């Protein structure tokens, strides 16, 4: 699938282009419009939901953006340690 191909290649692409490998992928799914079925089937981890503020709401004024489900996919078995620098 396209999702599996993206997961396989994104770490190598980032290493080549930006000089480091990501250890975790994140995606947001509009919960009102989609169920996230492809992410669930591909073993992505549901982390919870956004507040619906939107990424441009720097003043915390809650501009009414859609609430989204947050899914992550570890690219490394030690992603927790790598993220906190242990």
């Amino acid at each position: 699938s396209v999702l599996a191909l993206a997961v396989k290649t994104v770490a190598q692409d980032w290493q080549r282009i930006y000089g480091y490998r990501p250890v975790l992928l994140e995606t947001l799914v509009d919960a009102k419009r989609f169920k996230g079925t492809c992410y669930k089937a591909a073993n992505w981890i549901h982390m919870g939901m956004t507040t619906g503020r939107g990424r441009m709401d720097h003043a915390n004024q809650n501009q009414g953006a859609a609430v989204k489900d947050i899914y992550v996919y570890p690219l490394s078995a030690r992603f927790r340690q790598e993220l906190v620098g242990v």
Side-chain angles (χ1 to χ4, degrees):
S1 75
V2 173
L3 184 56
L5 180 61
V7 167
K8 282 184 177 181
T9 61
V10 72
Q12 296 167 352
D13 291 346
W14 275 69
Q15 179 67 49
R16 182 175 42 82
I17 295 168
Y18 301 108
Y20 65 92
R21 293 178 74 83
V23 296
L24 187 73
L25 299 179
E26 175 190 51
T27 192
L28 304 176
V29 176
D30 186 337
K32 285 186 178 180
R33 298 179 58 207
F34 305 102
K35 295 181 181 181
T37 305
C38 66
Y39 295 103
K40 293 174 189 174
N43 296 318
W44 286 58
I45 302 164
H46 182 257
M47 298 297 294
M49 300 174 81
T50 66
T51 61
R53 281 188 21 225
R55 70 175 181 212
M56 302 306 287
D57 185 18
H58 301 295
N60 295 325
Q61 295 178 352
N62 195 358
Q63 298 176 355
V67 173
K68 296 186 174 79
D69 286 322
I70 305 166
Y71 288 90
V72 297
Y73 189 87
L75 297 175
S76 164
R78 294 180 32 86
F79 74 93
R80 287 180 181 89
Q81 293 85 354
E82 292 180 51
L83 287 172
V84 295
V86 175

